[in-house]
Amino acid sequence: LATQNIDGLHAAAGLVALLVIIGAVFMLNRSAAVDDPREMQSLRPDASPSAPPNIETREVLVPATEMWFDTGISLSKGAQLTIRASGEWSDGGVPLRFWGPNGTGQRWPGTIVPTADLDALVGKIGTRKFLVGQNYFGHSSESGNLFLSINDTPDSFSSNQGTMKVEVSYSSQ
């Protein structure tokens, strides 16, 4: 019985030693590939280092009374775009209620962006209109200026109240 225990112990020790050797060989090969720049170049011969995009940030106040407020931010097609909004505004309805950048939680017929909730913060670049809400991250599908607005019906902006504080971060080249 003692001989069987010793044989089992030797087998287990041999297996552990084999695993340690395999792990060491793997780590040495991995380290050599990363440390040798010629190895990296052979993996991606067409790769050339590129500079990260230049990210600019601008803060604007978007009034609820203006349909398609021009932020003055000009974007190229494919530009990275991050928008964060805070504040409250109202569409002037009765009773008077104020909403955050995500809007009322309900759609309303005839709004400037029919797929977004009433009173939500929405955007437009070129001809493309989209929901911004409290947080937006994406890429510009067209070139042009970034416009922002409360999502309301085109004929009712004069009764709106409030503003949204909006921080826009975007890549520029």
Side-chain angles (χ1 to χ4, degrees):
L1 185 65
T3 304
Q4 287 178 338
N5 284 344
I6 290 174
D7 288 342
L9 187 59
H10 283 127
L15 181 60
V16 168
L18 180 62
L19 290 174
V20 168
I21 291 170
I22 290 171
V25 169
F26 174 76
M27 293 304 289
L28 285 173
N29 284 340
R30 180 177 166 91
S31 150
V34 170
D35 292 340
D36 187 354
R38 292 171 296 172
E39 290 291 321
M40 293 297 286
Q41 289 173 353
S42 69
L43 293 175
R44 296 183 56 196
D46 61 341
S48 61
S50 61
N54 183 25
I55 303 294
E56 295 186 34
T57 300
R58 187 176 300 170
E59 191 173 284
V60 294
L61 293 176
V62 180
T65 55
E66 187 173 339
M67 185 170 71
W68 298 127
F69 171 79
D70 187 352
T71 64
I73 298 171
S74 181
L75 299 167
S76 300
K77 182 177 181 177
Q80 179 179 315
L81 182 61
T82 302
I83 303 173
R84 296 186 194 329
S86 62
E88 290 186 334
W89 54 18
S90 173
D91 59 27
V94 177
L96 186 63
R97 292 186 183 163
F98 285 82
W99 308 96
N102 291 329
T104 65
Q106 297 177 346
R107 307 266 166 86
W108 192 264
T111 57
I112 58 176
V113 181
T115 57
D117 290 346
L118 178 65
D119 295 352
L121 177 64
V122 292
K124 177 174 79 163
I125 303 168
T127 60
R128 182 174 172 263
K129 299 174 186 176
F130 55 98
L131 170 65
V132 174
Q134 184 175 359
N135 292 297
Y136 175 86
F137 177 79
H139 292 85
S140 178
S141 61
E142 298 182 33
S143 293
N145 275 14
L146 172 64
F147 293 85
L148 297 172
S149 183
I150 185 173
N151 194 32
D152 201 357
T153 57
D155 59 344
S156 62
F157 278 78
S158 63
S159 63
N160 293 354
Q161 298 178 27
T163 59
M164 281 294 152
K165 180 179 173 184
V166 181
E167 181 183 275
V168 181
S169 297
Y170 57 99
S171 61
S172 63
Q173 295 295 350

